[in-house]
Amino acid sequence: MTAKQIIDIAAAEMGYTESPPNSNKTKYGQWYGLDGQPWCMMFVQWCFAQAGAPLPYKTASCSALERWYRANKPDAVHTTPRPGDIVIYSFGHTGIIVDSAGDSITAIEGNTSADYNGSQNNGGGVYRRTRSKSKVTAYIRPFDFPGVEMQKNHFNESLKTARSNYKHYFRKNKAGSWSKDIKEWEKAMGLFEGNGTR
């Protein structure tokens, strides 16, 4: 599973609303077995389950999930957000992070309102919201997503290191005559000079 997959699942739910209105009745509550109750955490649990990676602790409580991770998997609790993280807010609410910039984060949240005029932690639908990082108590990263995009400069540095290591190995390689032909070909093609200058 990748961060993009979990975000895509959450994004596909945007605009979903309780039926009837103000009832807390949703497909997430039905799936969880607590229909008619506040469902922001049930939405998050549902998204991860749909991705084939259910969370290791099943709860409908934001604070209970945070406590469980702090006690059992503290390395999964972070102070810096990444896409796909679960955000826990100080006002008893949660969502799945899409992006962060400066002092704010953007997340897809269940059981919230489309704007700030409605209830923020017991609203009627799934919406994309941008909030201040000052309202966050934890960023939970339940999985080390292999699909989280690598920053360009980090990728370039990794590539530079890999090339340097390979060149060093090439110059020092004493594997024997079996590698002589390929080394000569690489030198002829201008890939490596073989003398430590490249």
Side-chain angles (χ1 to χ4, degrees):
M1 182 185 65
T2 66
K4 183 180 184 307
Q5 285 173 317
I6 192 67
I7 291 168
D8 286 349
I9 288 168
E13 299 300 304
M14 286 195 301
Y16 178 92
T17 57
E18 300 170 358
S19 181
N22 303 314
S23 66
N24 276 328
K25 291 200 175 281
T26 66
K27 64 181 180 182
Y28 318 112
Q30 291 172 5
W31 167 84
Y32 189 89
L34 279 177
D35 203 17
Q37 300 298 315
W39 50 276
C40 61
M41 179 54 72
M42 290 187 265
F43 168 73
V44 168
Q45 295 265 356
W46 181 90
C47 288
F48 278 89
Q50 294 302 302
L55 297 179
Y57 182 64
K58 190 173 181 181
T59 179
S61 165
C62 302
S63 57
L65 187 79
E66 181 179 353
R67 282 194 305 271
W68 186 88
Y69 270 98
R70 289 192 185 280
N72 296 280
K73 293 187 175 240
D75 290 347
V77 182
H78 296 267
T79 56
T80 303
R82 278 189 2 194
D85 286 355
I86 300 168
V87 58
I88 305 292
Y89 297 108
S90 58
F91 54 96
H93 189 56
T94 187
I96 296 171
I97 294 180
V98 174
D99 197 10
S100 67
D103 294 329
S104 64
I105 59 159
T106 300
I108 299 171
E109 305 167 5
N111 208 15
T112 194
S113 298
D115 56 42
Y116 288 106
N117 295 323
S119 174
Q120 299 306 297
N121 63 350
N122 194 18
V126 177
Y127 300 105
R128 181 179 171 127
R129 302 302 310 274
T130 298
R131 302 185 190 275
S132 170
K133 289 179 180 175
S134 66
K135 299 183 185 311
V136 175
T137 63
Y139 302 107
I140 297 171
R141 192 164 303 142
F143 305 99
D144 191 12
F145 295 114
V148 172
E149 294 77 9
M150 190 182 291
Q151 295 293 329
K152 184 177 179 181
N153 59 348
H154 179 67
F155 173 81
N156 289 339
E157 283 300 312
S158 297
L159 181 61
K160 183 178 176 182
T161 300
R163 290 182 66 196
S164 176
N165 290 344
Y166 180 74
K167 286 188 286 186
H168 176 75
Y169 173 78
F170 179 82
R171 289 192 301 268
K172 302 296 183 187
N173 182 13
K174 301 186 187 300
S177 60
W178 66 268
S179 64
K180 183 177 179 183
D181 290 344
I182 189 66
K183 290 167 81 171
E184 291 303 318
W185 177 84
E186 288 177 327
K187 283 195 273 186
M189 296 300 293
L191 298 175
F192 297 102
E193 291 183 1
N195 59 10
T197 61
R198 276 202 242 167

